[in-house]
Amino acid sequence: MIKVAIAYNKETGEIYEHFGHAETFAVYEYGDTVDNCRKKLIDVSDKHGHQAMADLMKKEEIMAVMSQNMGPEAKALLLSYGIVPVAGYCGDADTAADMLVTGQLPVIGEEAGACSGGCGGCGGGCSGCGSDDSKDGGCGCGCGC
């Protein structure tokens, strides 16, 4: 069984902006195939900060965690628990979870920046992007462009 968690926006069904500020995580438990998946939502509105979130992921036996943004402290905490941090992606959480477990999620290099891959390069596909002019403070998708 493979278990992944995604910071989740309940209103849109999309990947939430930031790991430590999420109010909900979608946990996906995969069996033999992608079609054999159970999804449950965990309310984390009573938890605050990276440590509380990382501790919850460890308790839930999560193998990988995804959010649009994730700072170095959060990544280090997850890695210390043997959990793979995945950041820099926008869009539908269910699709992203399936792509992650099947190895179809494109790899984003650190040097490329968060928006260069999963968010379509600031305006090239992120469902949350407003402007693709990154020199005035960002594209608006929360990816840090």
Side-chain angles (χ1 to χ4, degrees):
M1 176 173 56
I2 298 173
K3 278 178 94 171
V4 299
I6 297 183
Y8 191 75
N9 183 327
K10 289 191 304 186
E11 294 176 16
T12 64
E14 294 190 355
I15 303 167
Y16 187 71
E17 294 172 7
H18 200 279
F19 171 76
H21 299 286
E23 293 187 4
T24 306
F25 276 88
V27 174
Y28 301 83
E29 294 182 33
Y30 290 90
D32 299 347
T33 67
V34 175
D35 295 329
N36 185 9
C37 176
R38 283 188 319 171
K39 174 184 170 184
K40 71 176 179 177
L41 299 181
I42 299 176
D43 181 346
V44 294
S45 59
D46 62 335
K47 302 196 181 331
H48 302 287
H50 300 136
Q51 187 68 56
M53 298 299 188
D55 289 345
L56 175 67
M57 297 301 122
K58 180 179 178 181
K59 179 182 169 223
E60 289 287 325
E61 300 177 332
I62 302 299
M63 298 172 164
V65 175
M66 180 184 290
S67 63
Q68 284 184 25
N69 288 312
M70 193 178 306
E73 179 186 333
K75 289 178 181 177
L77 281 167
L78 291 171
L79 287 168
S80 75
Y81 290 152
I83 300 169
V84 177
V86 181
Y89 297 94
C90 302
D92 182 71
D94 295 350
T95 301
D98 288 351
M99 291 177 73
L100 178 64
V101 300
T102 59
Q104 297 176 24
L105 198 64
V107 175
I108 298 174
E110 289 291 324
E111 68 285 349
C115 268
S116 295
C119 289
C122 288
C126 175
S127 58
C129 286
S131 163
D132 49 331
D133 185 4
S134 59
K135 61 186 175 295
D136 69 5
C139 67
C141 71
C143 294
C145 288

